[in-house]
Amino acid sequence: MTHVVDEAFDASVTDRLAIIEEELVKAAVADSPFVTEAARHIIDAGGKRFRPLLVILGSHFGAEVDEKDLVRAALVVELTHVASLYHDDVMDDADMRRGAPSANRRWDNSIAILVGDYLFARASTTVADLGTDYVRLQAETFARLVQGQIAETRGPQEGDDPLDHYLQVVADKTGSLIATSAVFGGMVAGASDEVLTALDAFGEEIGVVFQLSDDIIDITSTVTGKTPGTDLREGVPTLPTLMLQASMDPADEPLKQLIASDLSDDDKLSETLAALRAHRVIDQARREVQRHADLALSHLAPLPEGHAKTALAKICNDLVSRSV
């Protein structure tokens, strides 16, 4: 959270995140030093811990929580997320992850896949301590993650709208686990079905906002840790490029062809980035991000007023503002 909601509330969230961080490192410990090192590789590189944060905030919409169960719930979603990153890096043939060499580069693809499997097993062990409702939701969520990855790998099929296909992939690969994070927090607090439904809907939309704002940052930002044009150079479909692809304006053809060309040359990539930044499609993409953010905020309506609800709204608005 980049804005203070309430100093005491923020401090309690920060303290809980610190405990979760300690337990996350412990959860990656294996029987062999090598597996422990490999399993901690991405965890030690840090991260936003966005999903544990949503577990904590979701836990404020019910009764008093069992702190151990809260930590377990946060570990489950973050371990599942980290496990998926190992697999993603193999699928994407990635070189870097969070500023460090990716596991598939430091070791090899087989090790990266197996470490991802190990971390998912650790998540499964942890979720078993929470009960069958949690086990079922985690399994359903993981099924969506896998289906989203398969759909992304295959790409849109004949008759599919490429943008609709992409948004479904984003919902499955990113939105589903973020939604489950918020719901897990509510479940730990014994929240009502109405609250759980609201947290689920908010989480799914905020996950979409999270990814789509990243898409815009890949083109527009020169100050984040991510090298501008990474997705563009690798030919990864993103919201702005897909919106441009859907344009029927003949004047857009040269830029479409430029984007579809080999962008391995730095000068050519810079030329393409400059043309995209100046194009109306960036404002169109920002409006689409705002539309999803407004939808996410509307799902907060049934939740009781308080610091947690304010924090969720601020997270949503912060995600939008970072891509402006």
Side-chain angles (χ1 to χ4, degrees):
M1 292 177 291
T2 59
H3 298 297
V4 173
V5 174
D6 172 84
E7 287 189 3
F9 179 82
D10 281 8
S12 72
V13 171
T14 300
D15 289 346
R16 282 170 158 173
L17 283 172
I19 293 168
I20 291 163
E21 192 69 29
E22 291 175 8
E23 294 302 316
L24 190 60
V25 172
K26 292 178 186 176
V29 173
D31 293 339
S32 81
F34 174 76
V35 177
T36 300
E37 180 190 4
R40 283 181 171 175
H41 182 66
I42 289 181
I43 293 171
D44 287 347
K48 301 179 183 74
R49 306 299 185 235
F50 187 60
R51 292 152 191 83
L53 172 60
L54 288 182
V55 174
I56 293 169
L57 295 179
S59 73
H60 284 80
F61 298 104
E64 193 170 334
V65 303
D66 181 303
E67 290 294 327
K68 288 184 178 179
D69 282 349
L70 180 66
V71 171
R72 288 187 185 107
L75 290 179
V76 171
V77 294
E78 190 65 10
L79 286 169
T80 300
H81 171 58
V82 173
S84 74
L85 296 182
Y86 281 85
H87 291 172
D88 278 355
D89 285 346
V90 172
M91 299 290 297
D92 299 339
D93 195 27
D95 293 317
M96 302 290 289
R97 167 68 66 180
R98 295 176 178 171
S102 57
N104 50 303
R105 284 288 174 269
R106 180 166 176 182
W107 295 288
D108 59 35
N109 284 347
S110 296
I111 293 296
I113 291 168
L114 290 168
V115 170
D117 291 346
Y118 171 75
L119 288 170
F120 182 67
R122 296 294 291 134
S124 300
T125 301
T126 306
V127 79
D129 291 332
L130 289 168
T132 54
D133 288 344
Y134 294 85
V135 172
R136 182 180 298 106
L137 180 52
Q138 190 222 11
E140 291 170 351
T141 303
F142 196 65
R144 282 192 65 189
L145 290 174
V146 173
Q147 290 179 93
Q149 182 64 67
I150 291 170
E152 182 181 54
T153 303
R154 292 188 73 213
Q157 302 299 293
E158 187 175 351
D160 290 345
D161 178 273
L163 183 55
D164 288 345
H165 175 272
Y166 177 68
L167 291 174
Q168 186 61 55
V169 167
V170 170
D172 288 339
K173 279 194 65 179
T174 305
S176 64
L177 186 57
I178 289 175
T180 293
S181 302
V183 172
F184 265 15
M187 289 170 67
V188 169
S192 67
D193 288 344
E194 182 186 26
V195 166
L196 295 180
T197 298
L199 288 171
D200 181 53
F202 171 81
E204 180 108 2
E205 282 301 326
I206 203 72
V208 173
V209 172
F210 188 91
Q211 179 57 54
L212 297 187
S213 63
D214 260 6
D215 286 359
I216 296 173
I217 288 169
D218 182 65
I219 294 167
T220 62
S221 179
T222 56
V223 295
T224 63
K226 186 176 180 181
T227 304
T230 300
D231 291 336
L232 193 62
R233 171 173 267 163
E234 295 174 359
V236 176
T238 60
L239 179 64
T241 59
L242 286 168
M243 293 180 95
L244 181 67
Q245 188 183 81
S247 169
M248 304 300 289
D249 187 344
D252 290 334
E253 286 306 314
L255 182 52
K256 287 183 185 180
Q257 291 175 17
L258 192 58
I259 289 170
S261 67
D262 182 358
L263 297 177
S264 56
D265 179 75
D266 286 347
D267 291 339
K268 193 172 181 183
L269 178 65
S270 295
E271 176 193 350
T272 308
L273 279 170
L276 263 173
R277 287 167 181 164
H279 196 279
R280 66 184 183 282
V281 77
I282 297 300
D283 283 337
Q284 292 171 1
R286 285 176 173 144
R287 285 195 294 272
E288 180 67 5
V289 172
Q290 186 64 60
R291 186 179 72 81
H292 283 282
D294 290 343
L295 188 54
L297 291 170
S298 73
H299 292 309
L300 294 178
L303 301 181
E305 298 299 326
H307 296 317
K309 183 174 180 176
T310 301
L312 290 174
K314 285 189 178 298
I315 287 170
C316 184
N317 291 324
D318 287 349
L319 287 174
V320 174
S321 63
R322 72 182 185 143
S323 63
V324 172

